[in-house]
Amino acid sequence: MRKITTFIALAALSFTSIGCDRFLDIQPEGKVVPVNAEDYRKVLTSAYSKYPEHRSLLALRTDELSLDENASGFAYNRELAMWKDTGYDSNTGEYPWVRFYSVIFYLNQIINEGSKTMTDSPEKQQILGEAYALRAYSYFDLVNLYGKQYNPATASTDKGVPISLEIDVEAVLKPSTVQQVYDQIHSDIAKAEGMMQEQQQPTGNNYRFSKISLKALQARIALYKGDWNKALDYSQQVLAIKDGLNDLNTTNVAPHHYASVESIMALDNAFNGSVKNNLSFAAPELISSYNKTTDKRFGLYFEKAPDRYNVIKKGDSDFRVTFRTAEMYFIKSEALLKLNRLDEAKETLLKVLKSRYTPEGYMSVQNEITSMNTSDFMNFILDERFREFAVEGHRWFDLRRANQKKIIHTVGGKEYILEQNDPRYTIAYPQSARKNNPNL
């Protein structure tokens, strides 16, 4: 079966044969300017292919991974695991900044110029819809990386990230507030909704946005904002169209595989090979959260090594995952719980768990859930998210929006502590970005 990135790579290759820089450098002499839908589809494919792989690095901040200090990439990533976001040395990798704005530049080109030059057609509308959707997703990731967790009482004054909507690589931008960034996200989504033609993308093209993945994005945004009515509404809209789950009692197909019945959108390389193979292993806290006998996910996600468990939950191109149906069930369950519909919340989550545990294990979990009150079940949802979405890029954001718990990492024989509600739950702008832009 062809890998999803083959489709991206082939289109990107045809794009680079024209010349990426030449295509987007809008100068009057000696440059190639995109004009028609075919041109702009190539620009959009390049934007998708350049989307940052930041979620693996975020896992190093959480309780999911421990660093392998003998690994070749240890020096490059050790300060990330120490939550040292300022004053780090030159060997330390940075969370993406320029790459996000490079993608946004491509999208601005499509939105601002492609809307004028492409001939009116359903394909034009689809391309523009995807561009608006991907721009919304980019700003959503950016503001949750570098802005404070959304709080309706303070969002209008909390610092967010700069908003760039023009084709100007020389612009020196100032940060917008968290509220302004979310307002832009919602504006882009509204425009995408009015233009999107594809209900679902076919397997292989499901790295692209569609109507259903746009609804999935809206469900996640509502979850992060604590807008429970909208979280319930959007998750239900998605599940009304696509509700399949991989039953791990009858199949070994991983739920996060791009061709899984659960896949809604498969853009993000959430756990890339450099972190998976060369740098880390499963943290004891993550391993201890599973019932190793009855939880069918455990054998799919981890393997025993002499002194640790390695993560085998794949990080290659077949396992790109952005949205999947299990996430929608989790969002629906949490929203129902927050809306004081405890029994419905339990019933919703049990649909997922039945496909994740052995029959005996499921009966035990079902009995355990029966007596839970609202507080207990909320903790159980978060624990199950920890297990279900291990190293898929959710954990850091779940920690931010839920309890911002205390985490201890041992690096080089020394303990480093992220305190509960630590200011470092908001990542500082990268040093290189601050050096290049005094307004940050």
Side-chain angles (χ1 to χ4, degrees), residues 133-356:
L134 186 56
R135 192 168 74 177
Y137 186 51
S138 300
Y139 278 118
F140 179 60
D141 269 354
L142 270 168
V143 78
N144 280 285
L145 272 170
Y146 301 112
K148 287 186 177 180
Q149 170 62 29
Y150 186 87
N151 180 340
T154 61
S156 60
T157 55
D158 289 336
K159 186 192 290 188
V161 294
I163 297 174
S164 172
L165 305 179
E166 303 300 326
I167 313 166
D168 184 0
V169 295
E170 302 298 328
V172 180
L173 302 169
K174 296 181 179 180
S176 299
T177 66
V178 169
Q179 186 62 58
Q180 288 170 328
V181 178
Y182 271 97
D183 288 345
Q184 182 60 48
I185 291 166
H186 289 300
S187 174
D188 279 350
I189 288 174
K191 290 172 182 173
E193 283 185 302
M195 296 176 172
M196 198 76 69
Q197 304 292 304
E198 296 289 342
Q199 178 80 341
Q200 299 184 59
Q201 295 285 0
T203 301
N205 279 350
N206 54 335
Y207 65 89
R208 300 175 180 176
F209 267 99
S210 62
K211 290 182 179 181
I212 187 174
S213 57
L214 191 60
K215 294 295 183 186
L217 172 57
Q218 289 171 290
R220 187 184 291 177
I221 291 170
L223 175 76
Y224 283 23
K225 292 178 69 176
D227 190 338
W228 304 115
N229 284 301
K230 287 185 177 178
L232 177 59
D233 181 34
Y234 288 126
S235 61
Q236 287 180 318
Q237 287 187 50
V238 174
L239 292 171
I241 301 167
K242 187 180 178 72
D243 64 355
L245 291 165
N246 280 26
D247 187 347
L248 300 185
N249 290 291
T250 60
T251 180
N252 288 322
V253 176
H256 61 295
H257 191 281
Y258 84 95
S260 161
V261 298
E262 297 192 19
S263 181
I264 296 171
M265 184 174 174
L267 173 64
D268 292 271
N269 191 349
F271 190 43
N272 66 34
S274 64
V275 174
K276 181 174 81 77
N277 298 324
N278 302 322
L279 188 62
S280 63
F281 54 93
E285 186 168 351
L286 177 59
I287 293 300
S288 66
S289 73
Y290 292 87
N291 184 313
K292 299 178 183 63
T293 303
T294 64
D295 193 327
K296 301 292 288 187
R297 293 168 295 196
F298 188 78
L300 275 178
Y301 291 4
F302 311 102
E303 67 178 0
K304 185 75 171 70
D307 58 347
R308 67 193 196 188
Y309 280 91
N310 290 325
V311 180
I312 58 170
K313 190 174 185 182
K314 300 293 187 178
D316 62 36
S317 56
D318 274 350
F319 295 88
R320 287 179 177 263
V321 56
T322 301
F323 306 110
R324 57 184 176 96
T325 54
E327 182 188 357
M328 298 299 108
Y329 282 105
F330 271 89
I331 292 174
K332 179 181 177 181
S333 179
E334 187 170 341
L336 286 166
L337 180 66
K338 296 293 186 178
L339 294 170
N340 299 312
R341 296 161 64 177
L342 177 59
D343 290 341
E344 293 173 82
K346 292 178 179 179
E347 180 183 353
T348 298
L349 191 60
L350 284 170
K351 291 179 182 177
V352 180
L353 303 187
K354 189 174 183 179
S355 69
R356 302 306 192 238

